[in-house]
Each structure stands twice: as C-alpha cells, then as structure tokens.
Amino acid sequence: PLTLTGAFDRAMGAVGSRKSTVNRYVEKLEDSPTGPTATTVSIASLVSSTKVDFDTMMYLSRFGFGLGNFDPVMSLEVEQYMERQGHRKYEVRCALRLPESATPVTDKKELQVDALFDVLPLTWSCWKRLYELRENLYEPVKECLGASYDKHFKNAPFALRIGISGTLERLDLWVQRLGELVSEKMLPGRCLALILRFLDAPAPEEAEDGTLRPKANFGSEKCLTHGDREFRIREWRSNWQLELKTRLLNLGAQPQVWERHVVLCDDAGEKLLAKCREDGYPYVTYSNSSLKGQPIHFPVTVTVDACVLADRWAEPAECVVRCG
C-alpha cells in the first residue's frame, strides 16, 4: 500500500531527516547527467525554483501530486449561487482525477501508488462570496503568474467587482480555465496548495499504518436525549446521498420511515427531506416548497428517532443532553 513517508523515502533514496532527504534528492537530480526519470519528474517539479517548503510538498502528496509518473487533473465549475444571511454565495464544484492514461507504476519497490486509485477521483464543493474568490483566489493566482496571466486568461476574464448580470458566467469560465492550468502543470506548488486550501479540498488522511484513505465526510454518531442519534455531513460530495442511505440503513432506519423519523437540517436550520426513488436511488430536497430545487448548503445535521434504531443501539450509551 502507499505510505506518504515510504513513498518519499523510496522515490528519493532517503536517509536521515525528511527535509535533508528532499534537499539531497534535488541536488542529485541537478547533478545527474541523464536528468530526472519519468517516475521522479513530478516530485522534482514541486521543488523547482519556487522553493516549495517540505510541508507544502507533503500536503500536495496527499492528493497524489508528486507521488508517481503522473499528477491528478483538476476540473472546476461554478453553476449556481444562493442568497444566505444577506449575502450571495457561489458554489464552486471541484474534482481531482487521475489522467485517463494513468496506471500504477510497475516497479513497486521504487514507488507504490495503488492507494491513489482508492482516494481519486475526489469530488467536493464549497460556497464562497465574490470578494473571497477575488481576494483569496484570483489575486494570488494573478500575482503568481505575473506577466503571463493575461496570456493564460485572455478568454476568461474574472468577474467584475460589482455583482451585475454575467457574474456567474464569468466565474464559471474563469475557474474552468484555472482547473486547466492546474492540469497542465502551469502553476508552482505553493500556488497549487493555496488553491486547494482555499477551495476546502478534503485532503485524504493518513492511517496509522501510513496508507492514504479518503477523508470521512460523515461525522461520528452521538446519542441525544431519549436515545435519538445525530451525525453531521460536512460537505457536498458526488456520492453523499448514497452514503447517507447506507448510514441510515445501518442504523436501522428503512426508507419508508425517513419522512417521519429522520430530520435533516442545513447549516441555516432549513429542514430537508430524504427519500428514495422507485429504483431505490436516494435523494434529498428541501421540505419548504419555496426552496425545492435550490442547492443544499452544507454542513447538514441528521437526527434519527430512537424508535426506528436497530437493536444494536439498545445497549447503554453515554448520551449528550441537547439544549434549547
């Protein structure tokens, strides 16, 4: 399995501390008459003239950057917005995928990347205001690209400061182009890390054995008064509704009781309904008819009544008293 420390150790021929290992590896590449090999060029690109610090490298490696003879490709889009608490927020949908031609390296002694096929593709979304997108994404990217910015974004101008008609379309076009630049490896590691952090990318977690695993989107369950169970769904992901169905079934709540005994609320307290189509596929919508069809604003809190829980919850459990 892929381990973060092991991957770097094998790829860099490491001894001693991690940081000195990186430095020696880069020096070795620069002094090599043949230059970097195909399996190490990605790592070398992360520590080029931009002098990416080691913590940034390790952060990027969790998404698969620099761990093999390929890097993930990114796609971004902005298709909708919503008015919340007097502010307009835009939904940025994000995805990291392996290139279509990507396959695991054959020399497993040098670098093992099998685990990337478990954590990628990675899809998520975040909600940002226009000024946040401008100050924390557009301006840093423009500064990073310098004089070449206009060339790269010639046909994708950023949204105007005043949110007038066409803002959504401009944002969508701009972030799409940004995703293309990431996929084309046109941005240095520091800028790439800034983009991922601003977009709230759910970095895969490192297990105790060092292997990568997708970051959990569903929080742990806690016991409320009267034995009800509650958990949170942190963010939108492409499979979150299927995962919700699985969690509810594991708790013992069958689809026919969801409407009466499963309460879902978005982060503003608006109630949601969980249902299943005739083919069994789950879906979630707002219970307020005026909000139906609107995008759901995460995180979502789910509460399951005690009366529908499976027998395994009959055992005593430490409960948390809910106030208010």
Side-chain angles (χ1 to χ4, degrees):
L2 170 67
T3 65
L4 292 180
T5 55
F8 276 102
D9 288 346
R10 285 188 294 273
M12 300 176 184
V15 290
S17 69
R18 294 184 183 179
K19 190 166 185 178
S20 61
T21 295
V22 176
N23 294 335
R24 283 196 296 273
Y25 176 71
V26 176
E27 292 172 359
K28 183 179 179 181
L29 284 178
E30 293 174 344
D31 296 338
S32 172
T34 58
T37 63
T39 56
T40 58
V41 67
S42 293
I43 299 177
S45 67
L46 293 180
V47 285
S48 61
S49 59
T50 55
K51 298 188 182 300
V52 178
D53 61 88
F54 188 79
D55 289 340
T56 298
M57 289 179 59
M58 291 299 288
Y59 172 74
L60 292 175
S61 73
R62 291 181 180 275
F63 299 95
F65 290 98
L67 289 184
N69 56 349
F70 50 81
D71 278 339
V73 295
M74 172 176 273
S75 59
L76 301 171
E77 61 182 27
V78 178
E79 293 186 345
Q80 55 193 354
Y81 64 85
M82 62 168 37
E83 304 289 345
R84 281 299 172 89
Q85 300 173 344
H87 301 292
R88 175 171 295 185
K89 289 189 175 183
Y90 296 86
E91 183 186 29
V92 185
R93 292 204 169 186
C94 320
L96 283 174
R97 299 180 175 87
L98 291 175
E100 293 182 2
S101 59
T103 56
V105 292
T106 55
D107 186 359
K108 298 300 174 62
K109 292 182 180 179
E110 179 179 4
L111 182 64
Q112 297 178 357
V113 295
D114 290 26
L116 292 181
F117 291 80
D118 294 327
V119 299
L120 297 176
L122 185 65
T123 57
W124 75 97
S125 73
C126 60
W127 293 86
K128 303 292 183 181
R129 293 176 60 184
L130 179 57
Y131 89 88
E132 293 175 318
L133 291 165
R134 175 178 292 278
E135 295 181 3
N136 301 320
L137 190 61
Y138 161 72
E139 290 181 358
V141 169
K142 185 175 182 180
E143 180 180 353
C144 174
L145 291 174
S148 66
Y149 174 85
D150 290 339
K151 178 183 70 174
H152 290 304
F153 286 90
K154 179 180 179 181
N155 299 317
F158 192 76
L160 301 175
R161 289 188 176 275
I162 302 177
I164 59 176
S165 177
T167 297
L168 183 67
E169 291 75 13
R170 279 174 169 256
L171 286 177
D172 184 44
L173 194 62
W174 190 87
V175 298
Q176 285 187 41
R177 181 57 184 146
L178 179 62
E180 292 172 357
L181 291 180
V182 171
S183 303
E184 296 166 4
K185 303 180 184 179
M186 300 299 295
L187 299 171
R190 288 183 184 276
C191 188
L192 176 56
L194 179 147
I195 292 170
L196 291 171
R197 288 189 172 109
F198 171 73
L199 295 175
D200 305 325
E205 299 171 330
E206 187 176 3
E208 292 183 359
D209 60 359
T211 58
L212 290 176
R213 61 184 181 187
K215 184 176 182 179
N217 190 29
F218 281 54
S220 58
E221 298 151 14
K222 65 180 181 180
C223 178
L224 305 178
T225 53
H226 310 300
D228 298 346
R229 295 285 159 165
E230 181 181 276
F231 59 89
R232 298 185 76 194
I233 308 171
R234 296 186 176 92
E235 61 195 7
W236 179 93
R237 294 189 193 174
S238 59
N239 65 338
W240 77 273
Q241 295 179 98
L242 286 172
E243 192 172 351
L244 173 63
K245 178 182 178 180
T246 300
R247 174 68 71 91
L248 293 176
L249 291 177
N250 288 340
L251 284 171
Q254 299 299 316
Q256 59 267 26
V257 305
W258 290 357
E259 190 168 353
R260 292 187 58 188
H261 297 289
V262 176
V263 178
L264 298 89
C265 296
D266 71 1
D267 73 327
E270 293 287 348
K271 290 189 176 181
L272 303 155
L273 292 176
K275 298 182 179 180
C276 273
R277 301 189 313 217
E278 291 183 0
D279 60 2
Y281 194 89
Y283 67 95
V284 178
T285 183
Y286 281 101
S287 59
N288 187 334
S289 58
S290 64
L291 295 176
K292 286 188 176 180
Q294 294 295 314
I296 295 171
H297 209 186
F298 288 82
V300 169
T301 302
V302 183
T303 306
V304 184
D305 290 346
C307 63
V308 299
L309 295 175
D311 291 340
R312 68 188 181 97
W313 294 115
E315 300 178 3
E318 181 180 354
C319 290
V320 178
V321 177
R322 180 169 53 182
C323 301

